[in-house]
Every structure is written in structure tokens, then in C-alpha cells.
Amino acid sequence: MTEVLMCIASVSELSPDEERILIRDIALASQANSKEGDTFFLITQRWWQHWIEYVNQDQTNTSYDASSLSEQFDLANSSALKRPAGIDNSDLIDDAVLEDSGTGIEIHDTLLEGRDYVLLPQEVWNQLFRWYGGGPTLARKVISSGLSQTELAVEVYPLRLQLLMLPKNDRFPIRISKKETIGQLHRKACEIFDLQPDQLSLLQVCIWDYYARRRHALMNDMDKTLDDANLQMDQDILVEVINNTNNTSFAQENGSAQREANSALVEPSKSSLSIAGGLSASRGASKGYNTDLSSSQNLNSPVRDVENPYGTSGVTTRSSFLGLTGLLNLGNTCYMNSAIQCLVHTPEFARYFREDYHREINWQNPLGMVGELALAFGELLRKLWAPGRTPIAPRPFKAKLVRFAPQFSGHNQHDSQELLAFLLDGLHEDLNRVKHKPYIKSRDADGRPDEEVADEYWANHIARNDSIIVDVCQGQYKSTLVCPVCNKVSVTFDPFMYLSLPLQPTTNRTMTVTVFACDGASLPFSCTVTVPKQGRCRDLIQALSNACSLKHNERLVLVEIRNHLIHRYFEDPLQLLSNIKDDDRLAAYKVPKIDKNTKYLQLIHRQREQSSDSHIISGWKPYGTPIVSLISCDDTVTRGDIQVIVNCMLSPLLRKGINVEQATTSETSIPKATSDHCSFNSDDDACAPNMMSNSVNKDTTNSKAPPMPLPTLPLLLVDDNNACIDLSMGEEKVVKLSPLSPKILVYIDWSQKLLEKYDTHTLETLPEVLKYGPVTKKARTEPLSLYTCLEAFLREEPLVPEDMWYCPKCKERRQASKKLDLWRLPEVLVIHLKRFSYSRSMKHKLETFVNFPIHDFDLTNYIANKNNSRRQLYELYALTNHYGSMGSGHYTAHIKLLDENRWYNFDDSHISLISEDEVNTAAAYVLFYRRVKTDDAAVSNGA
């Protein structure tokens, strides 16, 4: 069936709708027959989205889920779209890793399915490649995964290992699937180090778990997979070659027989972010990451003497530090991993669950989980605090979690705060010391002192709820309701587990654009403006026009630059700014306002590719940022006219001390009279610049002094047939402009000699629209303070109509005003920043930067209990972060190890040391504060 469809597709060029139907049918047929060993292909989300919109432009607009490939063929776009260009996967490629490094083409370590790429079955990729071409091709295999090894997943990130031959330190990186066996890894090592089969009778090759260059376990089960052997991205392996004739290591070039002399270290490449396993499923039910790595092997156990002829003296634990063990990602479980790490590193919980907590488990609580959740959490905590740094697979805990909270089942992304709320409540019920809860009827205040009423409410609460969770995390609100009709006042004191603080909605957005002057009036410069977040392109252009002092006879042409070429023009002033991503790169060109028929002249910069072999002549490739100007279509255009325009555009780049004559690069030159085209008329009525008038009055030049020659630049004009026309000769020859294309493409080839005369540095760096990362001090000058968020939370406001209050005096539901106050604070204060908002039509994330204190978070003035005069000081010790958009983001945790007084970033299985300055970012989501013990501080619960 699939072969028939492909044959049909090759007969003639299909319409967009025919392409859509054909690819949909191929996808359905391919996915129905998916099996282990099949090949899937990564394709960039940007290109895929463009194609989806192209083939659905005549369909009815619907929403879609990126997890299901076949469901994406009914998308829509209301406006006509051009056919996509060739497939361009370059934004997935990590250019920092050389293609000939041994691992092939490397992709970025932080890619997410649905956000950065889509996985296509081989048949779908083959058909799209026949139609569009492009690349590079990124093939990945389907492997079995899951507890039963029956789930199919695409291994997007195979194990990346680096072979290191000691003592030469020769490195040879490889990629290998976790489903390959130790025997296959053994054979690869023999091939790489040229250990011939006839030598193996005299040599013995041993593979060791070699963390921190110490032997931990001999891996001699050649049939065991690397998955079952618990190999991950962050693990070292020693390949040791032993001479059987004298029981010594194979001699090196100097003939020595020292054991470590020719050992090869199989060492995972270290990067700033390591995603363990990185499996992305091919089926909709199990998308995202999946890292089914076995944790059953004890890598710290001594090796038996029969397996280790050299004894066990080299076997040591992996780390002297406790609490630095990561959690493997089981498939989009970063939300769970980040929340667990924060709770595990809460000192009170760490002590409690490492002691005998079983006696406090409430086995009969109908509101609990029969103690199973507490047992699973306690067991996981003990593993994370055990010696060693081998990442733990939290499968048993996840299994218990989804049994009692099925909303967290599957491999979809979830809200870490929702998980945290369920987990705290579930642990409380499992560990509730109250076996039989008494019934207590609440009494209204009725004018009694607040202190009396608050203590009564708290005593009633403790009589029914008494656990380690209450001891550590629960505080008390004062809630005041006032009826708007009868002014009835109702005061209650309710417990809370965490504070959910609102963020002031960010209605504006900061965008950075690089502005170029096509008349050569100035160097390019970056311009940062503030525009409405839900604004349109006209808002951005207006803000840029004001910021760069645009003249009344000029306008701005806004474009997106990608791979040193112009990717798209933003010519529709009503186009939404939300279509421009923060990591896009934009340029704006000042061009004259004219009434003539014009085309864009795109000047593309090129330089020679660097080749390691000096005898190989490399070709030219684009670099830097293109420059755009206008050229008239109504007048005759010569090669010399284009030379003049380009000279004018590049004139600010001339190095100091280089005049026009010195910049001449060939024997021919252009008369200076023509260069008057570059200057603007001062007359307001003549708004169009002279460079647009290609019909210059030649007679006027006769009365002038002899012109100064302009340099003839190495320019190539691309014609309709994609052939290059040399513009450096025959400047009087007329250039035929294509009536079909709205632009003229001109290459300038920057030789080393030409670069000595022009400084192109300003063309080589183009900033992103908004650069993420640790917030600089300048950006922190006007942040949203955490205190401001708290004040907004405590501010009096009317109840929403859906949540009206029943007034006991009026006997009706009223939209009362509600005021919250903090009355009693817990030992550990958890603060949730409400970044996510939901409505029927959309989900939205606030990227607001909140400036929260790490030290001395002082809540003394926010306590309504004035009888408590002691200071309420807190210090941050953990937080979760959320990066990216809703549904396709990523969670991490920043945690301070109190014993070390150092901060670490916990990113699933990867843990790295960070500075305190890196803790506060715009990604902060849930904050964990711990009470500071001072001389006048309260002992517990704010009392």
C-alpha cells in the first residue's frame, strides 16, 4: 500500500491538499505496523509546522496535539502560504561538535519533541525528501522500553561515549545504542584500538565500571544489554588489555608493562546539560523522554576475586558527598523529579524518612493510600541519600503515584506544583498520627479576640490532622469576609500548605532588533524596544521608528535572519508578534519612501570555508547578516548602478585610514559622479533618494571636477536560472530584472584582501529577540518583587461570581469582599508563583521575572498576629524551575546542600554546581524557604 502511494506521488507535482492526504495515509499505514528496529527520522518543528500550514491552508482551522502525527493533517491557516523550501534541519545540529569526530552528526542535547522536532516514520520522511530534498538526515531506531519491554520508543539520544587511550590521551568518541550488548561494546573497542582477532588469543580485554578512574564492577556478561548494565551518559568504563602470557597489561610503545599504560577510558562526553537516555516515543501514548535504565545492578558491591585477579583494593564508593544523586527521566517526568528533589532535600524530611517512620504510618486512614505512598517516598529518599552518585530510576514510586493519582499516568508533561500539592497531602494522610478523627463543629468569632479564635481553630485542626507534614509545612490564614449588603463580618482561621501568589500580568514584551541604514549613513546597531505582548508587526515597526529616529522620508523593512540568509519578510502590518519567537533574530532596514516600482536588493555576504587540508580549495558559504536596499524597476539598471548601491551600503564599514581610492580592488572603477545616487536630497518635496533615480543627467557631471573612483567590488548577481553574473566587469551593461521575483539577490565574496579594507565585525553578530539565561544586574533594576506578589495576594478583593459566599444573616449568596492575612507561619514555607493561567480557549504562561530574596526573607510585617513580636526570617534552600512553554517545557531544581553551603542544579540525572547568582531566574516556579533560627524567632508554627 505504501509503495503504491509513493509511486503515485512521483508522477507529477501535487497540490497542497493532495500532499496532505498522501502523507496522512502513508503515516497511518506506517504507524500501524511499527516494530522494534524500525527507523524514524527527526525533522525540525519549524519546517514541519510550515508544511502543515501549507497543506492545510484550504481547511477549517482546528487545534491539534503534536504528539499524534496523523492528527496533524487537518490543520489550517486562513491565508495562502508558499510551498516550503527544502528541509532544513540545521537548527537541530550542534555545530560545536565536528561531524568527523566519530559520533557523526550531533544534535543539541536539550531538544524536546513537539517543541524542536517531530519524529517521522521512514516512509513519510522518504516521500517528503523526494518532494523537497534538503537535510541533513537524522535517523533514529525504534527500541523496546518500559517495565515489560513491550513499549516502543525512538532512541533519540543513544549513549555518547568517548574512548580515551591512556597514557597518550587519544580520544575517540562514539555513539552506541543502549540496546546493544556489552559484547558489542567489547568488539567496538577492539576495532577502535586495532586489536586483531589473531591477537586476542594472547590478550584478554576486560571492561570495567570505572567511575572516577577506580574499578567498581567487572562487566563480563557479554549478552547483557547496556540498558540492563545501567550504563548512562554520566558513567565511565575502563577497557583494559591484559597480556595472558605473563598476566601483565599489554605493553606500550616503550615496552613497559604497567597496568594503566594502555587502558582505554570509555568516558561519556560531558556537556552543560546531559539528558539521560533521551528516548522519545513513536506512539502517541508514550511521547517525550523515556529512560528505561535498569537500576538493579549494584555498582558499589565488591568484585569477587575470581573476577578480579588484582584484588578489590580499587573498589570505592562513588562520592564522599551525600544528596547528589540524580533521578532518571522515565518519559516527561522532569516535573516529578524536580518536586521530589526539593522535598528530599528538605532537612526535616530527610531526617524523618531516614529514621524509623514506619510506626507512624496510618494503615487505616480512608483518606490515605494505605501507607503505600509514604513507603514508596521513604524508600526513594533513602536511595537518594545513600552513598554514590548513580542516578536512580524512580519507577516504583511512579507506579504507586499513578495508582492513587491516575492523572499523572502516561508520559505527558504535568504541572510540578500540582504533583507537589498531591504529594504533600497524600504523605500527610499516610502519616497522620490521628487514627480516629473527632467531629468538631467550627464556631464563628462573634466578636471574640482574634488570638483566642485562632488558637481554637488551630487546636481543632491538630486534633484531626497531626503529621510530620503538618509539623513542617502547614501554617494558618486569617480569612475575613464582609457581606456587601448587611455588612456581616465573618472571620475564620484556616490552615494552608503553601502560598499561591499571583503574578502581575505582563502586557508588554521586550524585543531586540538590529537596524541597518541602506544609505550608508551609520553602522548597524541593536535597538531594544517594548511592545504590546499581543501586539502586531506595526507596533514593533512604530516602536523601532521612534527609537532610531526614522526620518519622514524613510520606512523600515523588517525581516527574520536564519543561517545568514533572509528567512522571511514581515510585510503584513497586522501579523501577530506572537509569531516571532524569543530566539529568532530580526533585522530592520531603513529604506526610502518612494512611489516608483521597486524591488529589494539583498546583499548576501560570503566567505571561504575553512579546510584542514591546505591543498583543498573550499567553496564560498554565507556568513554575517544580509543588507537590504531598494532598486527601481522603472528605469534601466546597469551593473555599475548596483556597484554604486552596494558601495553606499558598505561605506560605514571602511576601516579608518582607508579612503575610497585605497579600497579599490580591481583595475576598473566606477566614476564618482554616479555615487551621488547615495545621497538624500535636502528638499522636503524630493523625498526619494537620488540613488533610486537610475536615469542620471550625465550632462550635469561635465561642469564638475573629475570624479573620485569608487571601488569595484566582487559582486555576483543571481539570475532566474540560479546562474551567477559577474558584476565587476562591464559596468555599463544593462541588468535584466526578473518581473516575477520581488527581490534581486547579490553575493559579495569577502576575500582576505578585501577584509583588510573593510571591518565586517558588526555584520557577524546578530542578537536574539530576547536572550534567556541568568538575569543580569541591569535587568534586575525594575523586577517584580516577591513582596509585591505577596501584597497582591493579601489585598482585599471581591469574590468571583462563581465563588460567592452564603451570608448567614441575609440567608443568600453574596459577592462578599475577602481579605487574607498571615497568622501562623510554618517551619518550611512553600511559595508557588502562579505562572500558568487557563481559560476555555487557551493556556498561557507568564514569563515575569520575580526578584525573590535568597537570604533574609522578612515576613515580620505581614503577620496579622501583633502579639507575636518575634522576627519571621526565612532563607531559600530549594526551588523548581520551568523553562519553555506550556505542555512542552522542562523542569529542573536548584537546591542548596546546607552541609556544603553550595548550590546545585538538579536536571533529572545530571547534577552540576552553580553559583548563588545563577539561582534567581525568570524560570523560578515553586520556592522553598526555611525558617532562620534567631534569638527571638518563634520555635514552631509562628507561635
Side-chain angles (χ1 to χ4, degrees), residues 25-38:
D25 294 344
I26 295 175
L28 290 172
S30 301
Q31 290 184 335
N33 300 314
S34 293
K35 62 184 181 300
E36 186 174 4
D38 286 351

Side-chain angles (χ1 to χ4, degrees), residues 5 122 156 163 251 257 310 331 342 351 360 388-389 397 474 520 579 817 820 896 918 930:
L5 292 172
Q122 183 169 2
V156 176
L163 306 183
Y310 307 109
C342 290
R351 285 194 299 269
E360 292 198 340
R389 293 185 63 175
F397 175 81
Q474 285 200 351
N579 294 328
S817 62
L820 290 178
K896 182 179 183 179
E918 299 176 83
R930 190 165 180 256

Side-chain angles (χ1 to χ4, degrees), residues 580-648:
I580 301 176
K581 298 184 177 180
D582 288 337
D583 59 351
D584 288 341
R585 288 175 165 83
L586 303 185
Y589 304 97
K590 294 182 180 181
V591 298
K593 290 180 180 178
I594 58 172
D595 297 329
K596 292 185 177 183
N597 182 22
T598 61
K599 291 181 181 290
Y600 292 124
L601 190 154
Q602 292 182 195
L603 182 65
I604 307 298
H605 311 279
R606 300 197 304 183
Q607 64 179 1
R608 281 201 180 277
E609 291 187 270
Q610 299 296 326
S611 175
S612 57
D613 190 343
S614 58
H615 299 289
I616 298 178
I617 300 177
S618 302
W620 296 89
K621 67 174 183 178
Y623 92 108
T625 307
I627 307 179
V628 172
S629 185
L630 294 182
I631 191 166
S632 173
C633 301
D634 296 335
D635 303 311
T636 302
V637 179
T638 66
R639 298 182 181 182
D641 293 329
I642 296 179
Q643 285 276 353
V644 169
I645 295 174
V646 175
N647 266 280
C648 189

Side-chain angles (χ1 to χ4, degrees), residues 35-88:
K35 62 184 181 300
E36 186 174 4
D38 286 351
T39 302
F40 275 64
F41 291 80
L42 278 73
I43 191 169
T44 176
Q45 174 70 24
R46 288 187 184 229
W47 191 94
W48 176 253
Q49 183 62 33
H50 187 182
W51 183 82
I52 288 291
E53 293 172 353
Y54 164 70
V55 299
N56 285 277
Q57 52 189 312
D58 297 328
Q59 306 297 312
T60 304
N61 190 20
T62 61
S63 60
Y64 74 102
D65 181 358
S67 65
S68 177
L69 184 65
S70 59
E71 291 177 5
Q72 297 184 31
F73 299 100
D74 294 322
L75 302 178
N77 196 319
S78 58
S79 59
L81 294 173
K82 293 182 179 179
R83 179 181 173 86
I87 298 171
D88 182 10

Side-chain angles (χ1 to χ4, degrees), residues 85-102:
I87 298 171
D88 182 10
N89 280 336
S90 59
D91 55 344
L92 304 180
I93 305 304
D94 187 354
D95 295 329
V97 181
L98 298 177
E99 187 172 341
D100 58 355
S101 62

Side-chain angles (χ1 to χ4, degrees), residues 463-724:
R464 294 173 55 85
N465 302 277
D466 184 16
S467 69
I468 181 64
I469 306 299
V470 175
D471 297 342
V472 175
C473 292
Q474 285 200 351
Q476 191 179 30
Y477 290 131
K478 175 186 176 182
S479 177
T480 305
L481 293 170
V482 180
C483 177
V485 178
C486 67
N487 294 322
K488 164 69 177 177
V489 178
S490 174
V491 177
T492 57
F493 292 84
D494 303 315
F496 68 86
M497 193 86 76
Y498 50 85
L499 302 179
S500 288
L501 304 187
L503 304 186
Q504 294 176 343
T506 303
T507 58
N508 292 330
R509 176 186 183 187
T510 299
M511 302 183 74
T512 298
V513 181
T514 303
V515 180
F516 294 79
C518 68
D519 62 347
S522 64
L523 286 168
F525 59 94
S526 294
C527 190
T528 301
V529 296
T530 300
V531 294
K533 198 165 189 177
Q534 303 302 323
R536 302 179 184 271
C537 281
R538 64 186 178 189
D539 300 313
L540 176 58
I541 292 175
Q542 183 61 49
L544 290 171
S545 301
N546 296 335
C548 68
S549 302
L550 196 71
K551 298 177 183 177
H552 70 279
N553 60 347
E554 294 176 311
R555 66 183 179 90
L556 288 178
V557 176
L558 186 66
V559 303
E560 179 191 349
I561 306 297
R562 194 182 298 176
N563 297 326
H564 312 292
L565 301 173
I566 294 179
H567 177 66
R568 56 174 170 167
Y569 286 83
F570 296 98
E571 296 183 298
D572 183 1
L574 298 181
Q575 185 171 352
L576 293 173
L577 293 179
S578 57
N579 294 328
I580 301 176
K581 298 184 177 180
D582 288 337
D583 59 351
D584 288 341
R585 288 175 165 83
L586 303 185
Y589 304 97
K590 294 182 180 181
V591 298
K593 290 180 180 178
I594 58 172
D595 297 329
K596 292 185 177 183
N597 182 22
T598 61
K599 291 181 181 290
Y600 292 124
L601 190 154
Q602 292 182 195
L603 182 65
I604 307 298
H605 311 279
R606 300 197 304 183
Q607 64 179 1
R608 281 201 180 277
E609 291 187 270
Q610 299 296 326
S611 175
S612 57
D613 190 343
S614 58
H615 299 289
I616 298 178
I617 300 177
S618 302
W620 296 89
K621 67 174 183 178
Y623 92 108
T625 307
I627 307 179
V628 172
S629 185
L630 294 182
I631 191 166
S632 173
C633 301
D634 296 335
D635 303 311
T636 302
V637 179
T638 66
R639 298 182 181 182
D641 293 329
I642 296 179
Q643 285 276 353
V644 169
I645 295 174
V646 175
N647 266 280
C648 189
M649 296 159 69
L650 298 179
S651 59
L653 305 181
L654 278 170
R655 296 183 184 273
K656 292 183 179 180
I658 301 293
N659 56 35
V660 174
E661 293 182 65
Q662 291 174 315
T664 304
T665 58
S666 69
E667 295 180 359
T668 59
S669 59
I670 302 169
K672 183 68 174 71
T674 318
S675 67
D676 288 341
H677 297 179
C678 294
S679 61
F680 282 86
N681 290 331
S682 60
D683 188 354
D684 291 342
D685 295 332
C687 293
N690 288 333
M691 73 176 185
M692 298 309 305
S693 177
N694 294 306
S695 55
V696 179
N697 187 350
K698 309 292 183 180
D699 296 335
T700 60
T701 64
N702 296 332
S703 60
K704 295 183 180 181
M708 182 183 297
L710 283 176
T712 301
L713 298 168
L715 304 180
L716 296 173
L717 175 69
V718 181
D719 64 11
D720 291 341
N721 299 319
N722 285 330
C724 291

Side-chain angles (χ1 to χ4, degrees), residues 143-370:
I143 64 174
S144 59
S145 63
L147 294 173
S148 60
Q149 295 292 301
T150 57
E151 298 179 10
L152 296 182
V154 178
E155 190 177 26
V156 176
Y157 291 99
L159 290 174
R160 180 175 54 226
L161 306 175
Q162 177 145 320
L163 306 183
L164 172 64
M165 174 67 79
L166 302 177
K168 290 183 177 181
N169 289 332
D170 293 339
R171 294 176 178 270
F172 192 90
I174 63 170
R175 281 279 190 180
I176 185 170
S177 171
K178 63 174 62 179
K179 289 302 177 181
E180 295 200 37
T181 63
I182 293 175
Q184 289 170 310
L185 177 60
H186 185 281
R187 286 191 289 274
K188 279 182 178 288
C190 292
E191 293 172 3
I192 290 169
F193 296 111
D194 200 24
L195 300 173
Q196 303 300 328
D198 56 348
Q199 293 178 295
L200 296 182
S201 60
L202 302 176
L203 303 176
Q204 179 182 357
V205 180
C206 299
I207 299 181
W208 296 80
D209 174 2
Y210 196 59
Y211 185 86
R213 303 207 175 194
R214 291 183 180 273
R215 298 180 185 88
H216 290 272
L218 179 64
M219 295 186 294
N220 57 358
D221 186 350
M222 295 300 173
D223 295 327
K224 179 180 287 187
T225 66
L226 304 184
D227 188 4
D228 293 335
N230 202 22
L231 297 191
Q232 305 128 33
M233 290 286 187
D234 294 324
Q235 186 165 335
D236 302 339
I237 305 251
L238 176 70
V239 176
E240 187 177 37
V241 183
I242 303 171
N243 191 333
N244 286 332
T245 59
N246 54 12
N247 203 30
T248 59
S249 294
F250 185 60
Q252 289 295 314
E253 48 191 284
N254 60 0
S256 65
Q258 296 179 358
R259 179 169 320 285
E260 302 291 335
N262 74 323
S263 297
L265 175 64
V266 182
E267 179 182 45
S269 302
K270 301 299 189 294
S271 61
S272 59
L273 178 62
S274 174
I275 301 178
L279 299 179
S280 188
S282 61
R283 297 177 183 265
S286 56
K287 70 172 186 176
Y289 295 131
N290 194 328
T291 56
D292 295 307
L293 299 173
S294 173
S295 60
S296 60
Q297 184 180 11
N298 182 6
L299 298 178
N300 293 324
S301 60
V303 183
R304 292 182 299 170
D305 290 342
V306 295
E307 296 174 339
N308 182 5
Y310 307 109
T312 60
S313 59
V315 180
T316 63
T317 58
R318 296 194 169 198
S319 175
S320 59
F321 299 113
L322 300 179
L324 290 178
T325 302
L327 288 168
L328 296 177
N329 194 312
L330 305 179
N332 272 335
T333 56
C334 56
Y335 73 95
M336 180 182 76
N337 292 348
S338 60
I340 288 175
Q341 291 286 13
C342 290
L343 290 180
V344 163
H345 287 86
T346 299
E348 292 81 358
F349 295 155
R351 285 194 299 269
Y352 178 84
F353 284 98
R354 283 190 287 177
E355 296 172 353
D356 185 14
Y357 65 93
H358 297 78
R359 54 188 174 83
E360 292 198 340
I361 293 179
N362 192 330
W363 306 100
Q364 289 81 34
N365 188 354
L367 300 179
M369 289 77 175
V370 204

